[in-house]
Amino acid sequence: MWLALIAPAAMWGQQELPTVTGVVTDASNAPVVAVSVTIRNTNTNDSHTVSTNADGSYTFTELAPGPYALSASKSGFRSYQATGITLAVGDHLRQDISLAVGAVSETVTVTATAAPAMLNTQNGAVMGAVVTQEEIEDVPLDGRNFQNIAMLVPGVAPKAQGANGSNFTVNGARADNTNFYVDGFNDRNSRGAASQFRPSIDALEEFKMETSGFSAEYGQMAGGVMNM
């Protein structure tokens, strides 16, 4: 019984944290198998490495938000490195890689554009905003409740006096129609309809307030989604 409850929660959690996926090809656009692809958080130096499959595809899931560098290498090809990649909570980034023939000691470096220009092609366009740790720490907060910052996002407004649920409404939906997630796990109190656990502002890295256009995995409610 416990396994049946825990397993779906773990699978659900993979939807909220940043994901990077792509296909590695050669100069003729043919997929390249067994390429070693590494993604590294440039703040923490934490890295993960995978090999491309028979389709030349690779995927990194459940990454921590932050700045990253992506590299790829295989014998017979020049090494590839992409820098300037910034991932926010809930991001699904597609980063295809083209390898050029040459020695591994030669490197092709690609510098990504600024974070706001990063294009999400993996799921539906999401309306909303990411609130960073600096903003959480710098905005004056009554009672240290960072969720009040969500009301600065277009479409989010204070709930009606006496209404149940969270302290805000999204695009006219009821205050009890907002979903809450912490590190990808459902944080909505089924009885009170507010967040069950509210992290300290000193421990919270960032949150994303999604107001519309979110993917089907965020179903159940008619309002928005707060990913912490």
Side-chain angles (χ1 to χ4, degrees):
M1 181 62 178
W2 282 106
L3 290 176
L5 293 173
I6 293 172
M11 293 175 65
W12 194 286
Q14 294 179 1
Q15 304 298 328
E16 323 302 328
L17 297 175
T19 295
V20 177
T21 187
V23 175
V24 180
T25 57
D26 60 18
S28 65
N29 288 327
V32 184
V33 302
V35 177
S36 178
V37 183
T38 299
I39 193 163
R40 179 176 61 88
N41 187 311
T42 56
N43 273 351
T44 64
N45 212 34
D46 184 30
S47 64
H48 305 275
T49 301
V50 297
S51 294
T52 56
N53 61 16
D55 299 320
S57 300
Y58 73 91
T59 299
F60 296 99
T61 61
E62 298 186 284
L63 299 170
Y68 283 88
L70 184 72
S71 60
S73 63
K74 183 177 181 178
S75 179
F77 293 92
R78 296 179 183 176
S79 297
Y80 170 95
Q81 181 169 354
T83 60
I85 299 171
T86 301
L87 299 177
V89 60
D91 278 355
H92 296 258
L93 175 66
R94 183 177 184 91
Q95 187 82 11
D96 290 334
I97 297 172
S98 179
L99 294 182
V101 175
V104 177
S105 57
E106 301 176 276
T107 303
V108 176
T109 302
V110 177
T111 301
T113 55
M118 299 292 280
L119 182 62
N120 171 20
T121 60
Q122 295 306 107
N123 52 23
V126 174
M127 300 297 292
V130 173
V131 179
T132 65
Q133 188 177 43
E134 290 79 8
E135 293 171 305
I136 295 170
E137 293 176 346
D138 293 344
V139 173
L141 293 172
D142 182 15
R144 292 170 57 88
N145 184 0
F146 67 87
Q147 294 183 358
N148 290 335
I149 306 177
M151 286 182 253
L152 299 177
V153 178
V156 183
K159 72 175 180 180
Q161 186 174 4
N164 293 324
S166 64
N167 58 341
F168 53 81
T169 67
V170 180
N171 290 332
R174 299 186 317 190
D176 60 0
N177 266 241
T178 299
N179 275 324
F180 295 90
Y181 297 91
V182 175
D183 286 346
F185 291 92
N186 196 325
D187 186 45
R188 183 178 179 274
N189 186 311
S190 58
R191 174 173 293 184
S195 57
Q196 178 77 26
F197 168 70
R198 192 178 70 202
S200 163
I201 62 173
D202 303 310
L204 185 66
E205 182 170 3
E206 65 184 25
F207 73 87
K208 177 184 284 186
M209 188 68 233
E210 302 178 21
T211 58
S212 65
F214 35 83
S215 302
E217 67 262 28
Y218 301 125
Q220 302 176 1
M221 303 298 160
V225 178
M226 177 177 279
N227 280 323
M228 297 170 272

